[in-house]
Amino acid sequence: MIRNYFKIAWRNIIRHKAYSSINIAGLAIGMAACLLILQYVNFELSYDQFNTHKEGLYRVVNDRYQNGKLVQHGTITYSGVGKAMQDDYPEVVNHARVKPFGGMIITCNNKKFGEQQVIAVDNSFLSMFSYPFIAGDIKTALKEPFTVILTQTSANKYFDIRDNNYTSLIGKLVTMGTDSMPYKITGICKDAPENSHLQFDALASYTTLLAGKYPYREADYNFTQSDFWHYIQLRQGTDYKALQAKFDAFSQRHFEGNKISGSVEKFSLQPVVKAHLYSDFEYEIGRTGSSTVVWGLLIIALFIIVIAWVNYINLSTARSSERAREVGVRKVTGATKGQLIRQFLTESLLINIIALLSAILLVLVFQSPFNALIQHRLSFSFLLQKSLGGYSITIGLSALILTGIFISGFYPAFVLSSFRPILVLKGKFSASKKGIVLRKGLVVGQFAITVALIIGSLVVFHQMKYLNEQELGMNIDQMLIIKPPILMNFDSSFMAKENSFKEELKQISSIKGVATANRVAGDEMSRDFDVHRVDDNSGNHFTVRNMGIDYDYINVYGIKLMAGRNFTPLDYNADFNKLHNMIINVSAVKLLGFASNGDAIGKQIMDGNSRWDVIGVIKDFHQKSLRYPLEPTTLIPAYSTYSPISVKVNSSNIAATVASIKAKYAQFFPGNLFDYYFLDEKFNEQYKNDRLFGKAFGIFAGFAIFIACLGLLGLSLFATTQRTKEIGVRKVLGASVTNIILLLSKDFIRLVLIAFIIASPPAYFIMHEWLQDFAYRINIGWWVFAIAGSLAVIIALATISFQAIRAALANPVISLRSE
Amino acid sequence: MIKISELQKYYRTEEVETIALNKLSFEVKEGEFVAIMGPSGCGKSTLLNIVGLLDDPDGGSFLFNGTEVAHFNERKRADLRKRNIGFVFQSFNLIDELTVFENVELPLIYLGVKGPERKQRVEAVLDKMQIMHRRNHYPQQLSGGQQQRVAVARAVVNNPKLILADEPTGNLDSSNGNEVMQLMTDLNEQGTTIIMVTHSEHDSRYSHRIIRMLDGQTVTENILV
């Protein structure tokens, strides 16, 4: 019997090639898109799942309030917080402080390796997280100061290891940056997995910060400086939200309201497994993704596959009249309804299996362009790995496919097997009204999804365009950023040397200007939380961003001076305590309550215990992406060996310019590694997730539209075949080709218009919500809907007209002869 | 074999109720060959559908081999039908996607007959109908007469006690038509009961008895043998 089911199913597929191709193509594309998206979704959800203690691992995050306003929503906090939590709460069984060193230069065997990501961590970090050791003692590796663990890749790179003899590296020394003490290698660990939010080339001992000639005392146990990251481990079974509820008391106990830190601290815990995908925090240490992108794509994946199955249901039931006679004959020859349902289910199973196999083939073909799009190395194996919520994606996918096959097969099977044999054998079969309504409903549903996706794509595209076109308040085009000479010592001669270097560069004809600042556009500026006007006795304290710049910075970046003057060389001093001039931006003028820009000039500001004179006011500029609002900012005349150097260049012959800069760099900063990048590219990386979302949205919306069109093509093919005689009669009676095309198209167009009306409000609502993440955003105009609606109608018309024109041009004699 | 008494069937639309069978009674004995004639709309086909257990009556009694089947549910009707009744239609109603062999095999599949036995029985009947050489052809590759022979083969493959034929020669030319009628006669002679609806006086003469219907009732019965 089963063999018979498969046989007839196979012959049906072969016999009705057009319908079968439409069905299989739609399903295969839908499934392939779904499989690709789910690989990505599962990968993004799999972050930090490799940690054995993941259930109990949390990081401490905090919101900081000043004058009742949230001034910082960050992952950084005070060095004493972790230990204090472990002391205060028995639920906290372990804690680790973490402090990244940033891009370091590591020297070993006289070879230098730049941009090495080194993180200082407590020894406890090694038992809390699961970065397995290849060599060394994991229990004690980071107890002593100036000890370091290398990852396998780093070890291979630094020491050219080929025989896997990592144990031989234990006890060897490496130098980091300008540190006078070398670091002893105490362990080699496996590389951090790609799905680890913490990425590093080496782990240094946290105790190093507290040792040496200039110990960093605030890094030990302190409640005033908040530059540290904390991870804690909770006792198994602890409800972290219940623990979190006790943190108000914790904050009160250690900070006494705002007495200790000058602001009200509100701590909370974030599960480590959510650190990657659910981080809207400032000062993010890890690699972050976007849950909006992930869930958005997941929804699109579901939409696409549902559209494909709806096509299958639609085409199968639309064609039911063709198969009615077969059903009648089978019933008359003794088939029961159950047997017929099984037969049609077999058919849908077969189609789905063929589609699934084709989808797998498609995925294999399109895997690498897809990987290029999302910038990950994904493969089928990512569908099977454990992620947030266990194996829910894997199980969900299997369940989805099975349910899809069953429902898409069952409904047509049920409809077909319900035919009354005497009617269909007499040729009195007509499609049921219910069936027609359902089919129309499904077409409306499909196109509603399509229209919503078009609207979504338009909004994303428009917002991205808006962000790119928005004035930043500074010019970052053709700005080459040279990595700072971090191996230099900051002493009285450094500033002069840097100025000479700049002057020499300015002599190069292709260079328009040179400047340095301790941050460049896109970098997070530091914040000062205790700022107020000297003449303001209200007791209010304010938070401002802060950056040290040279006297060229404002001009080179084209930042507009609104009042007062720019810095001059006379404002600078190697001794930080002797600096006293400050430039502020317009937002700071407003925050601090000056009457006007001009009013601020000559006034004094207290920043912590230092007194500053305002000498200039500049126009606000966007330091970060336009997701974030402009912030009050103060600029001080300061140099540092960690300040990147900005070089404004001509677009012509960049290679030669870079070569000249490199030669000068080597001359002025010997021993430092020369490296550079273009600022606009780096700045735009902030929109990486948004651009990915936009691209993926557009591409997969395209797929959805294509699949929906395949369905429409099938339905129009069917409708025109059904109406061949009618078309013949109408033509004989004088209908023009246009009349016929209109006749055949108007029903479908009506459905598309209904879909448009249904889809627009939810699409508006969802995209409006998405835009709320941006401080600077477009308004969704009526034209978005006009374009989406017109596009849907045009696409539908183009699809239908393919059939309609053919039918309209057919010779009526042929269609009428069959009578 | 079949005893019908006071059988009623109505067709209702929203506004009109049409009486298709009006308290009709008649009997067919085992081994009989009965022709039912009458003008279009007189209820012949309705009667055949009810006798074939494809439709249920609105009133009256229908005894099939002594069992009251008038109110059997769909499943019971299907079961009784596949074991006892074979159908032959004017338009053949072969399944285009199946070969001659597979079309004839269909009733045996639904009866649950095992593969080797099916093959044997199908081949036997195809042989008997002289279309064995066409066993692997599809219906559209056959002439009308050949198609109807396949349909007859399919109707008799499970050795039904009763064959219901609805204008079996309606789509055939006279020579093919005669061939089919001869097949029916042979089957009848081998013991199969046949009830045939026809417009053709010529065909009706192959039967033992002609029942003439008008407005859902029998009007005359002519016994020919």
Side-chain angles (χ1 to χ4, degrees):
Chain A
M1 187 74 88
I2 296 284
R3 221 173 59 127
N4 184 272
Y5 290 159
F6 272 104
K7 190 160 65 187
I8 185 92
W10 177 248
R11 288 198 194 145
N12 256 307
I13 291 170
I14 297 297
R15 215 171 123 82
H16 303 285
K17 287 192 184 71
Y19 289 114
S20 307
S21 311
I22 289 172
N23 262 333
I24 292 170
L27 281 171
I29 294 170
M31 285 176 178
C34 196
L35 288 172
L36 283 172
I37 292 175
L38 286 182
Q39 283 178 10
Y40 172 71
V41 168
N42 212 30
F43 170 72
E44 286 289 298
L45 293 175
S46 75
Y47 266 77
D48 296 290
Q49 292 288 330
F50 63 89
N51 286 301
T52 317
H53 304 303
K54 61 170 193 265
E55 310 290 353
L57 286 181
Y58 294 85
R59 67 175 180 183
V60 182
V61 291
N62 83 326
D63 284 342
R64 184 168 300 169
Y65 291 88
Q66 199 170 50
N67 309 324
K69 272 192 188 161
L70 180 70
V71 291
Q72 184 162 298
H73 174 65
T75 54
I76 47 172
T77 177
Y78 306 89
S79 59
V81 162
K83 183 174 183 307
M85 281 186 177
Q86 192 170 353
D87 290 346
D88 289 6
Y89 303 108
E91 296 96 317
V92 181
V93 294
N94 216 344
H95 78 276
R97 292 166 297 186
V98 169
K99 173 85 180 165
F101 284 171
M104 291 293 287
I105 293 177
I106 292 185
T107 313
C108 67
N109 295 338
N110 292 323
K111 277 189 284 183
K112 288 193 174 74
F113 300 91
E115 276 305 300
Q116 298 301 288
Q117 298 305 320
V118 182
I119 311 179
V121 296
D122 276 319
N123 193 55
S124 52
F125 178 90
L126 301 175
S127 59
M128 290 165 66
F129 288 87
S130 307
Y131 300 105
F133 261 41
I134 306 172
D137 181 4
I138 197 167
K139 290 200 184 93
T140 58
L142 293 180
K143 274 203 160 156
E144 299 301 319
F146 295 99
T147 52
V148 67
I149 297 167
L150 303 182
T151 64
Q152 193 171 5
T153 300
S154 307
N156 291 346
K157 194 163 64 180
Y158 304 161
F159 294 97
D160 199 18
I161 295 286
R162 288 176 190 183
D163 55 359
N164 287 337
N165 184 8
Y166 295 104
T167 316
S168 65
L169 301 181
I170 303 298
K172 290 204 169 172
L173 300 175
V174 295
T175 309
M176 283 197 217
T178 52
D179 275 350
S180 51
M181 276 276 283
Y183 286 67
K184 188 166 85 180
I185 298 171
T186 49
I188 309 292
C189 70
K190 287 203 164 161
D191 291 358
E194 202 184 349
N195 56 2
S196 163
H197 84 286
L198 290 172
Q199 294 289 326
F200 50 85
D201 298 302
L203 295 171
S205 60
Y206 193 86
T207 47
T208 310
L209 295 171
L210 316 171
K213 216 156 78 180
Y214 307 104
Y216 186 0
R217 294 187 206 291
E218 288 84 356
D220 191 17
Y221 188 82
N222 173 282
F223 291 97
T224 56
Q225 195 179 332
S226 62
D227 290 332
F228 309 90
W229 284 259
H230 280 283
Y231 292 85
I232 61 170
Q233 188 179 349
L234 300 186
R235 198 170 50 204
Q236 214 173 2
T238 304
D239 175 2
Y240 81 95
K241 287 189 176 154
L243 175 63
Q244 215 169 246
K246 302 175 188 171
F247 286 168
D248 278 349
F250 175 87
S251 183
Q252 187 59 37
R253 196 159 48 241
H254 294 281
F255 297 94
E256 297 173 28
N258 64 358
K259 275 191 192 149
I260 306 291
S261 65
S263 49
V264 175
E265 308 291 336
K266 210 171 167 59
F267 294 94
S268 52
L269 296 177
Q270 184 190 35
V272 160
V273 288
K274 288 192 170 178
H276 169 70
L277 213 50
Y278 292 93
S279 172
D280 58 345
F281 296 103
E282 296 167 309
Y283 304 100
E284 181 52 72
I285 187 176
R287 183 188 279 180
T288 56
S290 159
S291 56
T292 313
V293 174
V294 167
W295 297 118
L297 283 177
L298 187 65
I299 289 171
I300 293 177
L302 288 178
F303 277 170
I304 290 178
I305 192 85
V306 165
I307 288 179
W309 276 320
V310 165
N311 272 353
Y312 180 77
I313 294 176
N314 256 344
L315 283 176
S316 311
T317 52
R319 283 182 55 222
S320 57
S321 58
E322 278 180 21
R323 303 212 46 190
R325 202 173 59 88
E326 177 195 334
V327 172
V329 174
R330 284 179 182 274
K331 278 198 160 179
V332 163
T333 52
T336 61
K337 194 167 174 170
Q339 284 169 324
L340 286 170
I341 289 178
R342 282 197 288 280
Q343 185 201 323
F344 289 114
L345 271 180
T346 310
E347 203 167 308
S348 96
L349 182 68
L350 190 65
I351 291 214
N352 273 282
I353 288 173
I354 297 171
L356 186 61
L357 293 176
S358 318
I360 291 171
L361 209 67
L362 283 176
V363 170
L364 292 174
V365 171
F366 288 102
Q367 186 82 62
S368 67
F370 178 71
N371 284 356
L373 169 74
I374 56 154
Q375 291 166 12
H376 282 298
R377 285 194 310 271
L378 298 183
S379 66
F380 267 114
S381 61
F382 285 90
L383 288 174
L384 303 173
Q385 71 182 9
K386 210 168 179 179
S387 64
L388 207 60
Y391 288 107
S392 52
I393 291 286
T394 317
I395 296 167
L397 175 66
S398 316
L400 175 77
I401 289 183
L402 287 178
T403 314
I405 291 173
F406 187 74
I407 292 176
S408 66
F410 190 79
Y411 180 74
F414 188 78
V415 169
L416 285 164
S417 62
S418 303
F419 291 149
R420 310 252 305 163
I422 47 167
L423 292 179
V424 296
L425 292 178
K426 280 278 176 196
K428 286 180 187 164
F429 170 82
S430 60
S432 80
K433 270 190 188 150
K434 251 197 273 176
I436 293 169
V437 169
L438 178 88
R439 226 161 26 245
K440 285 185 175 173
L442 290 176
V443 170
V444 168
Q446 276 185 321
F447 267 82
I449 292 174
T450 307
V451 169
L453 290 175
I454 295 175
I455 292 173
S457 303
L458 285 173
V459 171
V460 173
F461 175 77
H462 189 51
Q463 171 69 9
M464 288 295 105
K465 191 162 167 275
Y466 172 81
L467 292 182
N468 283 335
E469 286 171 355
Q470 201 63 9
E471 284 291 327
L472 292 177
M474 65 163 121
N475 190 345
I476 60 171
D477 292 340
Q478 298 298 326
M479 195 67 82
L480 199 90
I481 304 297
I482 303 169
K483 295 281 177 72
I486 56 175
L487 294 185
M488 302 299 291
N489 285 315
F490 188 83
D491 53 27
S492 53
S493 68
F494 178 76
M495 279 172 36
K497 184 173 258 190
E498 182 124 297
N499 285 337
S500 311
F501 173 64
K502 282 165 50 187
E503 288 309 315
E504 293 253 344
L505 290 192
K506 284 179 197 167
Q507 304 308 313
I508 300 170
S509 62
S510 56
I511 290 176
K512 296 182 190 165
V514 187
T516 85
N518 58 9
R519 300 289 194 280
V520 293
D523 289 346
E524 192 100 52
M525 282 192 261
S526 64
R527 278 199 179 109
D528 293 340
F529 296 93
D530 185 14
V531 177
H532 61 95
R533 275 164 55 182
V534 169
D535 59 1
D536 179 1
N537 298 317
S538 66
N540 281 339
H541 296 256
F542 298 98
T543 296
V544 297
R545 292 283 191 177
N546 178 268
M547 178 161 79
I549 63 169
D550 71 359
Y551 47 84
D552 286 317
Y553 190 85
I554 289 176
N555 288 334
V556 168
Y557 277 93
I559 298 169
K560 196 170 176 191
L561 195 65
M562 307 297 285
R565 65 170 177 88
N566 190 0
F567 290 128
T568 67
L570 296 174
D571 294 316
Y572 293 79
N573 198 304
D575 181 356
F576 189 85
N577 293 321
K578 289 187 179 156
L579 302 178
H580 59 90
N581 285 339
M582 179 181 263
I583 293 174
I584 63 176
N585 71 353
V586 173
S587 287
V589 168
K590 288 178 191 151
L591 179 79
L592 297 171
F594 292 114
S596 66
N597 296 336
D599 178 43
I601 306 299
K603 298 277 165 51
Q604 287 193 315
I605 288 173
M606 287 302 290
D607 184 348
N609 296 322
S610 325
R611 191 182 287 255
W612 296 85
D613 299 311
V614 178
I615 60 155
V617 174
I618 50 159
K619 199 178 166 187
D620 290 347
F621 60 89
H622 287 280
Q623 176 71 8
K624 289 202 291 175
S625 82
L626 273 75
R627 268 188 186 277
Y628 304 99
L630 293 163
E631 287 184 82
T633 303
T634 59
L635 303 174
I636 56 167
Y639 280 55
S640 115
T641 55
Y642 283 87
S643 296
I645 301 154
S646 308
V647 185
K648 185 95 174 168
V649 296
N650 272 335
S651 54
S652 61
N653 205 357
I654 283 171
T657 310
V658 169
S660 315
I661 298 171
K662 190 177 177 180
K664 293 281 176 208
Y665 189 86
Q667 186 190 327
F668 277 86
F669 309 115
N672 282 277
L673 294 177
F674 177 80
D675 199 5
Y676 70 95
Y677 60 86
F678 280 97
L679 184 57
D680 52 352
E681 288 170 13
K682 178 84 181 301
F683 189 82
N684 285 330
E685 268 182 28
Q686 295 178 96
Y687 299 121
K688 192 177 137 196
N689 275 328
D690 301 310
R691 278 210 308 269
L692 166 65
F693 188 49
K695 269 195 209 166
F697 207 106
I699 289 173
F700 289 107
F703 278 134
I705 293 165
F706 179 70
I707 298 170
C709 283
L710 275 183
L712 201 58
L713 180 72
L715 280 181
S716 64
L717 177 70
F718 177 77
T720 44
T721 317
Q722 286 286 85
R723 298 174 81 169
T724 308
K725 200 184 88 185
E726 178 195 340
I727 294 164
V729 173
R730 282 176 186 270
K731 282 191 84 172
V732 168
L733 294 177
S736 68
V737 171
T738 318
N739 291 148
I740 301 292
I741 293 171
L742 266 178
L743 171 81
L744 292 170
S745 307
K746 72 171 188 230
D747 284 351
F748 287 109
I749 297 306
R750 193 180 300 139
L751 297 183
V752 173
L753 288 175
I754 294 172
F756 170 72
I757 292 165
I758 291 174
S760 296
Y764 174 83
F765 178 74
I766 291 167
M767 293 322 290
H768 182 73
E769 282 300 298
W770 177 73
L771 286 171
Q772 299 312 303
D773 279 353
F774 293 88
Y776 298 87
R777 53 185 177 255
I778 53 162
N779 287 316
I780 305 177
W782 61 269
W783 61 268
V784 169
F785 298 92
I787 292 179
S790 316
L791 213 58
V793 170
I794 290 167
I795 291 169
L797 256 181
T799 312
I800 302 159
S801 61
F802 181 70
Q803 278 306 317
I805 292 171
R806 222 165 69 162
L809 293 175
N811 184 349
V813 174
I814 296 166
S815 57
L816 295 177
R817 192 183 291 151
S818 62
E819 280 295 288
Chain B
M1 185 181 208
I2 287 165
K3 188 169 183 196
I4 277 169
S5 349
E6 305 271 303
L7 203 65
Q8 287 181 298
K9 181 74 186 172
Y10 311 109
Y11 290 115
R12 292 184 190 90
T13 60
E14 275 171 21
E15 289 164 6
V16 191
E17 182 176 278
T18 319
I19 300 172
L21 296 178
N22 189 5
K23 296 194 173 177
L24 177 130
S25 301
F26 80 98
E27 205 172 327
V28 177
K29 295 209 163 53
E30 201 161 337
E32 264 196 295
F33 186 162
V34 178
I36 299 174
M37 300 190 73
S40 293
C42 72
K44 306 184 295 287
S45 292
T46 306
L47 175 64
L48 204 67
N49 289 334
I50 291 175
V51 173
L53 299 166
L54 293 172
D55 204 355
D56 45 357
D58 294 320
S61 155
F62 172 18
L63 295 176
F64 189 92
N65 277 338
T67 310
E68 179 59 67
V69 296
H71 303 295
F72 265 25
N73 64 21
E74 165 78 25
R75 177 175 278 278
K76 274 183 162 176
R77 286 212 306 263
D79 195 54
L80 193 65
R81 187 166 67 220
K82 71 180 171 191
R83 288 176 200 288
N84 295 290
I85 307 172
F87 290 86
V88 178
F89 302 94
Q90 177 181 355
S91 53
F92 325 134
N93 280 329
L94 298 173
I95 297 179
D96 292 341
E97 284 77 16
L98 298 183
T99 62
V100 165
F101 183 95
E102 288 161 350
N103 264 292
V104 177
E105 187 189 25
L106 213 53
L108 298 179
I109 290 176
Y110 290 130
L111 266 179
V113 177
K114 294 268 176 290
E117 189 190 337
R118 281 209 304 267
K119 185 165 183 279
Q120 199 187 349
R121 283 171 67 174
V122 173
E123 283 176 355
V125 74
L126 288 178
D127 213 22
K128 196 161 137 191
M129 299 293 157
Q130 296 173 0
I131 39 169
M132 190 58 183
H133 59 296
R134 298 283 195 186
R135 59 186 304 226
N136 291 325
H137 286 66
Y138 286 90
Q140 59 273 27
Q141 298 170 307
L142 306 179
S143 71
Q146 285 170 327
Q147 287 193 45
Q148 195 59 304
R149 286 223 295 277
V150 177
V152 174
R154 185 179 62 188
V156 301
V157 72
N158 58 345
N159 297 320
K161 295 188 179 72
L162 173 66
I163 285 183
L164 300 175
D166 195 352
E167 299 194 40
T169 63
N171 281 2
L172 301 177
D173 61 26
S174 62
S175 88
N176 275 318
N178 286 341
E179 246 180 64
V180 167
M181 286 317 298
Q182 194 51 54
L183 271 176
M184 307 272 270
T185 311
D186 294 348
L187 288 169
N188 180 246
E189 280 168 3
Q190 286 154 26
T192 312
T193 311
I194 295 177
I195 301 176
M196 173 178 74
V197 164
T198 184
H199 277 120
S200 155
E201 290 290 345
H202 169 266
D203 288 358
S204 70
R205 283 199 280 277
Y206 284 87
S207 71
H208 303 157
R209 180 154 64 104
I210 301 172
I211 297 174
R212 292 186 191 274
M213 287 179 66
L214 188 65
D215 295 340
Q217 288 179 313
T218 54
V219 282
T220 57
E221 284 197 29
N222 305 48
I223 297 170
L224 303 176
V225 263

